Amino acid sequence: MEVFHFRIPCKYSLSHWLQPPTLQKNTHPLFFTEWQSFELKTHGITFRIQISVKELLDTDVLLKLLFHLPVNYPSTLPDISVNSDQLTRAQCMEVKDKLLEQAKNHLSEPMVHDLILWIQQHLKYVIKESATVCNEKTTLSKGTSTEDGTWMLLLHLDHMRAKAKYVKTVEKWATDLRLTGRLMFMGKIILILLQGDRSNIKEYLILQKTSKVDVDSSGKKCKEKMISVLCETKVQSQQKRFQTFEVKEYSTLDELQKEFETAGLATLFSDFVPPLLK
């Protein structure tokens, strides 16, 4: 595969990210193997970049980076998602956390290019640090929760045309992000109920809104545009923590209601589900 890198001025503004960058043959240690997607929206810019980090580890590492720049970027930090087939999920999360830490040092100035260069230079050390942190965490009690506690998200999907693939994708995201809950089907109602760390739930939302998870009426891959966030809140002590993520189908509304009530989420059901039937 032929590889390229961005040619970006030393001084640049947000406007440089409003158009796909100029590409040229590689002469730089940071390799961009693919410009995957670029989208300008009313709520900001979302784009994906794949970079191959050379000569830092025993094997080349292909990082898949997703950046969402809000409309008030760079005064507001970007949302970042990191994936790699060569790294574990924990390592990807550590890379993401380090990028966000670095982003704080560039607040109010363009930062994406600097962040990419930084991770290219420091990936080896971030991965080593991640391994150390994981070893330390094994000494903690399994009952120890994060500072933010467990959060819950309830989503409503309008439809799934490519149901089998869509379901498989949702299951993978939930597993990768260590989220539990339910993907629920009842008649035409489709709900996704997730529980987990708040940062992971936010990353799930980014994936859900920016990835091509379904197909349109012509069979072409498309992003999910008919999704509603019904509720996002912290899980309360009287509410059940789901231990796994499951896909379930219900024959009646009563069956669906019982699922919510068993988890101590009767109020969540009554507030958000019946209105979907109207």
Side-chain angles (χ1 to χ4, degrees), residues 34-35 41 43 62 75 79-80 82-84 110 124 134 154 166 172-173 176 182 189 213 219 232 254 265 268 276:
E34 183 179 354
W35 175 262
K41 298 183 178 180
H43 59 273
L62 184 66
S75 297
D79 289 322
I80 303 173
V82 179
N83 285 284
S84 175
K124 180 177 181 179
C134 287
L154 181 62
Y166 204 132
K172 183 180 185 305
W173 288 343
D176 289 347
R182 300 286 186 267
I189 294 179
V213 292
E232 182 178 358
D254 288 340
L265 303 173
L268 187 70
L276 299 176

Side-chain angles (χ1 to χ4, degrees), residues 45-246:
I45 305 169
T46 297
F47 61 90
R48 298 168 180 270
I49 299 174
Q50 287 191 171
I51 63 172
S52 181
V53 182
K54 303 286 186 178
E55 300 176 356
L56 290 182
L57 304 171
D58 294 336
T59 59
D60 297 339
V61 174
L62 184 66
L63 289 179
K64 302 174 184 178
L65 305 175
L66 183 149
F67 291 90
H68 173 71
L69 311 185
V71 291
N72 50 351
Y73 167 90
S75 297
T76 299
L77 296 178
D79 289 322
I80 303 173
S81 177
V82 179
N83 285 284
S84 175
D85 294 335
Q86 289 79 40
L87 302 180
T88 65
R89 188 63 208 166
Q91 289 171 330
C92 287
M93 291 298 295
E94 186 67 17
V95 171
K96 172 190 170 182
D97 291 343
K98 292 300 182 184
L99 284 172
L100 288 174
E101 286 181 15
Q102 288 299 312
K104 294 177 182 178
N105 297 329
H106 297 278
L107 199 60
S108 299
E109 62 184 45
M111 66 185 74
V112 174
H113 182 233
D114 289 333
L115 293 179
I116 293 172
L117 292 178
W118 185 89
I119 198 59
Q120 183 265 336
Q121 296 166 1
H122 295 84
L123 180 62
K124 180 177 181 179
Y125 309 103
V126 172
I127 292 174
K128 284 185 177 180
E129 183 176 340
S130 174
T132 302
V133 171
C134 287
N135 290 334
E136 291 175 351
K137 285 184 177 180
T138 59
T139 64
L140 300 177
S141 169
K142 291 184 179 180
T144 302
S145 60
T146 62
E147 183 178 5
D148 287 337
T150 302
W151 280 72
M152 178 169 55
L153 177 71
L154 181 62
L155 302 173
H156 173 241
L157 301 181
D158 184 74
H159 62 272
M160 286 184 181
R161 287 194 173 93
K163 182 176 178 179
K165 181 181 177 181
Y166 204 132
V167 169
K168 185 177 180 180
T169 299
V170 171
E171 288 181 306
K172 183 180 185 305
W173 288 343
T175 299
D176 289 347
L177 294 169
R178 301 186 297 278
L179 299 175
T180 60
R182 300 286 186 267
L183 170 53
M184 301 175 281
F185 296 90
M186 199 290 295
K188 293 184 178 181
I189 294 179
I190 306 173
L191 299 171
I192 301 177
L193 180 61
L194 299 171
Q195 292 180 346
D197 291 345
R198 193 177 190 185
S199 61
N200 290 356
I201 284 180
K202 288 185 177 297
E203 184 168 353
Y204 177 93
L205 267 177
I206 293 174
L207 290 170
Q208 180 76 67
K209 294 178 178 180
T210 60
S211 303
K212 293 183 178 180
V213 292
D214 206 0
V215 297
D216 58 22
S217 56
S218 63
K220 184 179 179 180
K221 292 181 180 180
C222 65
K223 298 177 183 178
E224 179 58 74
K225 297 180 180 180
M226 302 291 288
I227 185 171
S228 301
V229 178
L230 300 180
C231 180
E232 182 178 358
T233 185
K234 190 172 182 179
V235 175
Q236 303 302 311
S237 58
Q238 71 274 17
Q239 296 170 334
K240 174 184 174 182
R241 268 69 164 178
F242 292 106
Q243 299 302 309
T244 60
F245 183 83
E246 299 178 22

Side-chain angles (χ1 to χ4, degrees), residues 13 23 235 259:
S13 64
L23 297 176
V235 175
E259 179 78 67

